[in-house]
Amino acid sequence: ASLHNAAQVKQKDIRVGDMAVGVKRGDIIPHVEHVLPELRNGSEKPFEFPATCPVCGAETRLNETATTFVCTGTATCPAQLQGRLESFAKRERMDIAGLGEEMAKALVQSGLVTKVSDVYSLTEAKLLTLEREGKKSAQNLLAGIEASKTRGLGRLLSALNIPNVGESMGLLLAKAVPSIDLLLAASKADLARVEGFGPTR
C-alpha cells in the first residue's frame, strides 16, 4: 500500500508495526483505510519521514498541499532525473520504446544523460558503452527516440513534467496555443482562458 501522503499518515495515526485494514478500488494502488489500535502491543512507533533525500542527500520539505515530502534537489538529484526521464518516455507521452526504468537508470548513472534533452544527443557508440547493451537494442532505442520527434506538441507538453499538465491538459493546451513560440509569449490571462485551465487551489 502507498503511504506517501504524510497528512493521511498523521491523521489516521498510522504507526510502524500497526495492523491495518487496506482497501483496493479498481486498478489503483491500495491504501490504508484505518489502523486497528486495539491490536497494538506498545512496540508501535510513529513514522518519521526522512529529513534528507535518501538518494542525493538534499533536504526534504512538504509540498504545497502539505501532503508529501519531496526532495529539494530538483536540478541535481539523480532519482528525480530518472523519474523525469521515465515519465518523458511513457507510451502516453513521447512513447520511446526501450526507454523504461532500467534504461533510464543506466543512462543517468553512466552520466550519458544529465538532463532530459540529452536523450536526443545519444548515439549508438555512446549506448554501447553501457553494460549489457547490445547493438540491436541500441539501434531500437535510437529508432524510438527518432520516432518520438513526431508525437506533436500536446504530448510533448505533457512529457515535460510541468506541474498540473498531464496528458489531457497537454492536448487541450496545444489545441488552444498551437506552437511553442505562442505558448512562451502567452500571458497568465491568456492561459487562464484555455478550457480546463485556471488557478490551482
Side-chain angles (χ1 to χ4, degrees):
S2 178
L3 291 172
H4 65 277
N5 189 316
Q8 283 193 15
V9 169
K10 183 176 181 180
Q11 184 254 322
K12 294 180 179 180
D13 189 26
I14 302 169
R15 303 180 188 182
V16 177
D18 267 338
M19 294 290 286
V21 175
V23 177
K24 186 174 187 290
R25 298 185 182 100
D27 294 327
I28 62 171
I29 297 171
H31 71 275
V32 173
E33 184 75 10
H34 60 268
V35 296
L36 302 170
E38 67 274 15
L39 298 181
R40 287 177 176 161
N41 59 23
S43 65
E44 298 79 13
K45 297 178 181 178
F47 179 76
E48 298 291 335
F49 283 87
T52 59
C53 172
V55 176
C56 73
E59 289 184 9
T60 61
R61 63 169 172 76
L62 275 171
N63 66 356
E64 306 79 33
T65 57
T67 56
T68 306
F69 279 87
V70 295
C71 167
T72 57
T74 306
T76 55
C77 181
Q80 288 196 54
L81 174 57
Q82 181 185 330
R84 287 194 295 273
L85 197 55
E86 290 177 44
S87 177
F88 185 83
K90 279 173 59 177
R91 181 172 295 158
E92 303 83 0
R93 297 184 175 183
M94 299 309 281
D95 191 15
I96 302 177
L99 185 46
E101 180 181 354
E102 288 306 312
M103 178 54 72
K105 183 176 181 180
L107 290 171
V108 171
Q109 288 185 344
S110 67
L112 288 178
V113 169
T114 59
K115 55 187 182 298
V116 172
S117 59
D118 287 345
V119 165
Y120 294 98
S121 299
L122 292 172
T123 62
E124 186 177 311
K126 288 179 180 179
L127 289 172
L128 290 176
T129 64
L130 297 174
E131 188 177 348
R132 296 192 299 275
E133 180 68 4
K135 188 178 182 72
K136 183 64 176 173
S137 58
Q139 290 174 343
N140 288 342
L141 175 56
L142 291 172
I145 292 169
E146 188 62 29
S148 75
K149 296 176 183 179
T150 67
R151 303 293 183 230
L153 180 60
R155 289 174 71 169
L156 173 63
L157 292 174
S158 68
L160 292 176
N161 290 292
I162 301 167
N164 304 309
V165 179
E167 286 85 12
S168 59
M169 286 298 178
L171 293 172
L172 281 174
L173 190 54
K175 184 176 179 182
V177 190
S179 80
I180 285 285
D181 290 336
L182 289 172
L183 188 59
L184 292 172
S187 67
K188 188 182 290 187
D190 293 333
L191 296 176
R193 284 193 287 271
V194 177
E195 181 185 357
F197 278 73
T200 56
R201 291 178 180 157

